[in-house]
Amino acid sequence: MKVSYQWLKEYLDLDVAPRELAEKIARTSVDINDVYQPADGLKKIVVGKVVAMQDHPNSDHLHICQVDIGEEQPIQVVCGAPNVTTGKKVIVALNGARIADNVKIKRGKIRGVESNGMLCALQEIGFSDKIAPKDYSAGLYFLPDDAKEGEPVFGYLGMDDTIIDTDVTPNRGDMLSMYGNVNDIAAFYGLQSHFKELPVEENGTENTSDLVSAKIDDHKIAPTYKLRVIKGVKIADSPLWLQIRLWNAGIRPVNNVVDVTNYILLKYGQPLHSYDYDRLPGHDFGVRHAKEDEKFTTLDGDEQTLKANDILVTVDNQPVALAGTMGGEGTAVSDQTTTVALEAAIFDPVMVRKQVRRLDLHSESSMRFERGINPATVETSLNEAAELIKELAGGQVTKGIVTGSEKSAADKQITLSLAKVNHVLGTDLQMADVEDVFSRLRFAADVKDDDQIDVTVPARRWDIFVAADLYEEIARIYGYDNLPSTLPVMTRNRGGLTPRQRFIRASRHDLEGMGLTQAISYSLTTVDKAKQFQIDPVAEPMKLDFPMSSDHVATRMSIISGLLIDIAYNVSRNVNNVALYEEGRVFLPKGGERPEEQEHLAGAITGQMLANDWHTEDRPVDFFQVKGIVERYLHNMGLTGKVTYVADQSRREMHPGRTANILLDGQLVGFLGQVHPSTAKVYKIPATYVFELNLESLIAAPKVANEYHPISKYPSITRDIALLVDDDITNAMVMDVINKRGGAFLKDVHLFDVYSGLHLPKGKKSLAYTLTYQDDNDTLTEDQVNAAFDKVTKSLTDTLGAEIR
């Protein structure tokens, strides 16, 4: 809210500079956006009177004006404004003046005629198009007749005021009014408020109830609804003091009726709405929900399509306003209006907020309805507005108020403990100190004993509900700067990571050590992508009721799809070698109210893992490189269980000949392989290999304890063996036999050659291995090694039908 410092001084005996006041408000109440004077940056702009005028000889729209600026002789100014006329007081920028946007005015010739300055519109001295009165939007602004020639214009236009622009939080809706600001400032400075209410004098002869009626069937959507009628009004411009109040607050003056409603909005925070009584479809007011797809044309001329949750003000069941948002075009006050129906109400803030955001019809009124209205000043606001309209528009206020509903302005009773206050705030306050705070706030306080105090919170502070709210009030009025500073109490417990945290951190460290870069992708994706790359496919993904976009409608059940999007992003920018991993959660619906959250680890690699150079050829990533990464990771994590890799052709998103499931002691814990070419085409990526592991299973699996084993000081012995086996015999099958029969001294088995083709029988292949034997406690003999090696060869022959070459 833009708070006028001069307006504040009418109600408070302030003896502080505006910027000092703003700093105090920021530390005590609400944030401050800016502190400024509308005249900042402007100079040499004075009052002038057009005393003579003639047409420019070389132009069909310019005029040569003689302008009295309080000097011995008038100055000559060439002006093109269509409304310039003699006898009017105008805004004059003299030679050397600075106007809006730091534009400098210089003496010069315009089409051959000398001009010694500029006659200005309001926009040219800093007024925005949104607040400049429409009557002067295309021409000069005329100052009042009592303005003295040659004096600076700033005082006449309220530009010498200081504006404190506050940023009001949602809970402090009371600060969206001068009434709220005055109460708060008076409290933290300990001042006496001189806030004035203007009582209404009903000078009409008719009863309001004979002219209108109001019936609110649902008090939830309109807890308070009141009406008054003012007859015989004459629509005209508002006096300058009222216009200044409005445009300094960022509101455009319209006419003496509408301006009064906006003035009351600023003063009390109570939005009002004025209707042209004679243009209403009837006289029976009500508030109801809109019908689905019901049409309504608002004041701005736009036709709105409404939803069933929207709320309307109706007359004889015909909509005349969007409640709390904007009035209707057909019942707006115009120059022909003679009778005004004036509405003051409280509407449901949640419904107003949803309505405003959906229709994008934000306004000063809706902002206040959304944050709450003081029920104690609804009738006060209505009465003062009626009185001002009577004074400014010459009308007659009819007798009485018509009430459709009324929310009582109930005060709240809260009991505080002095000991608890001091404990929470870390202070050593006395009961007299606490009483003084509530006296400043004008909260009634009744001290029960040395510790207990009953506090009555008035309805104007609807943000206060419980004792904790009053602790905050005591702290901010007492002064946050006065609260004692203390060091936090630290525990003596040793910090550290849980086993789960250590495992996850080690997983990240391990993959980064193998050349992968961490990525973080969205947990929300499309339904189709959420179904892809699941380790163990489940039901449909969980969908959001209100997704932020069509690409983020379902929770992910795999991490890989997000990594593929990241790879596509890099590849589209000519980054062809990408190796990413991500550790994060997936969400698996398994029949409960909430999905099961699992920690997963996934990787995606395309291009080359190692850069080619003079002695290394290009080698794009393949299945075995990715398998090696996964094997090394699982080994480094110290799993005691047996890890096996089983070919899998059931995953639609994966290449059927280059995909394997990963099993730990027979339990499926993940998979790895190449993304199917058709899937890669959809993602717009080249050949890409991926893996995904269920960390929950790995974390729960038994681990090898870290133990020290000294390196053997005794020599090792190797034996090579070449086998001729059937094509369907896998390396894993051979390794199982060798490890099972290799004996206690077998330390390592290494496959160093695979051959198939010419010189071998059809359906056969050759596998060559190096077996390494070593004793940790003694030197092996040839006989020991030969005996162990013979057992291996015999088992390979008997079990797999291998032929030793």
Side-chain angles (χ1 to χ4, degrees), residues 85-349:
T85 185
T86 58
K88 291 294 186 181
K89 301 288 181 70
V90 293
I91 303 167
V92 184
L94 303 177
N95 177 43
R98 293 282 182 178
I99 61 173
D101 300 323
N102 202 32
V103 174
K104 185 175 182 179
I105 303 301
K106 298 180 181 180
R107 180 185 292 112
K109 289 187 176 182
I110 300 178
R111 296 196 181 183
V113 176
E114 182 177 346
S115 180
N116 295 294
M118 176 181 177
L119 305 188
C120 299
L122 289 175
Q123 293 90 329
E124 290 165 328
I125 61 170
F127 283 64
S128 73
D129 289 331
K130 293 182 178 179
I131 64 172
K134 286 186 177 180
D135 290 347
Y136 302 100
S137 60
L140 303 177
Y141 183 79
F142 298 142
L143 296 167
D145 293 338
D146 60 355
K148 187 175 180 180
E149 293 89 337
E151 288 189 352
V153 300
F154 308 126
Y156 294 103
L157 299 175
M159 299 179 73
D160 58 345
D161 195 1
T162 300
I163 307 302
I164 301 173
D165 188 1
T166 61
D167 185 7
V168 179
T169 51
N171 65 309
R172 288 303 306 271
D174 61 301
M175 294 293 285
L176 287 171
S177 66
M178 292 299 297
Y179 181 60
N181 278 275
V182 166
N183 287 329
D184 227 48
I185 295 169
F188 57 69
Y189 276 126
L191 301 175
Q192 184 66 37
S193 170
H194 308 306
F195 191 86
K196 300 175 183 177
E197 297 178 0
L198 183 64
V200 64
E201 294 184 8
E202 298 171 341
N203 59 338
T205 58
E206 296 180 80
N207 294 319
T208 307
S209 57
D210 294 335
L211 300 172
V212 293
S213 64
K215 182 181 180 183
I216 309 301
D217 295 326
D218 186 352
H219 285 205
K220 181 180 183 303
I221 61 177
T224 298
Y225 192 85
K226 293 175 175 290
L227 293 167
R228 269 197 177 277
V229 175
I230 305 96
K231 301 190 71 175
V233 300
K234 183 178 181 181
I235 304 299
D237 288 340
S238 299
L240 187 56
W241 70 266
L242 179 51
Q243 294 190 46
I244 290 173
R245 287 277 189 264
L246 298 183
W247 65 44
N248 276 350
I251 299 175
R252 183 203 296 272
V254 179
N255 58 52
N256 50 5
V257 171
V258 174
D259 292 353
V260 165
T261 62
N262 286 327
Y263 171 79
I264 295 299
L265 174 141
L266 295 173
K267 185 174 179 180
Y268 292 98
Q270 172 65 58
L272 304 173
H273 190 70
S274 54
Y275 301 94
D276 186 328
Y277 178 84
D278 295 323
R279 298 174 68 186
L280 293 171
H283 303 130
D284 298 326
F285 282 79
V287 182
R288 64 169 172 82
H289 283 291
K291 301 170 185 174
E292 190 70 22
D293 296 329
E294 187 173 0
K295 307 294 183 183
F296 179 69
T297 302
T298 46
L299 274 172
D300 55 10
D302 292 340
E303 184 179 71
Q304 310 293 340
T305 301
L306 307 180
K307 299 295 182 181
N309 286 332
D310 295 334
I311 48 179
L312 290 166
V313 177
T314 64
V315 175
D316 285 2
N317 208 35
Q318 298 297 312
V320 293
L322 284 174
T325 306
M326 186 176 288
E329 185 180 43
T331 58
V333 172
S334 66
D335 292 344
Q336 288 72 45
T337 300
T338 58
T339 302
V340 173
L342 196 60
E343 167 195 278
I346 299 176
F347 299 112
D348 182 82

Side-chain angles (χ1 to χ4, degrees), residues 568-609:
Y569 180 88
N570 282 274
V571 168
S572 67
R573 287 155 179 80
N574 297 320
V575 181
N576 298 315
N577 300 326
V578 186
L580 302 175
Y581 83 91
E582 180 174 358
E583 178 274 319
R585 293 188 178 185
V586 299
F587 307 87
L588 307 177
K590 292 192 174 181
E593 182 179 347
R594 299 176 59 187
E596 178 183 311
E597 297 185 27
Q598 289 183 359
E599 207 78 33
H600 279 207
L601 180 69
I605 307 172
T606 188
Q608 298 176 221
M609 285 289 290

Side-chain angles (χ1 to χ4, degrees), residues 703-734:
K703 314 285 189 311
V704 177
N706 290 330
E707 296 181 0
Y708 167 73
H709 294 283
I711 298 173
S712 176
K713 61 183 179 180
Y714 300 101
S716 62
I717 299 176
T718 61
R719 290 287 187 270
D720 291 345
I721 183 171
L723 310 174
L724 186 67
V725 296
D726 294 336
D727 281 339
D728 60 353
I729 300 298
T730 64
N731 173 64
M733 297 167 66
V734 176

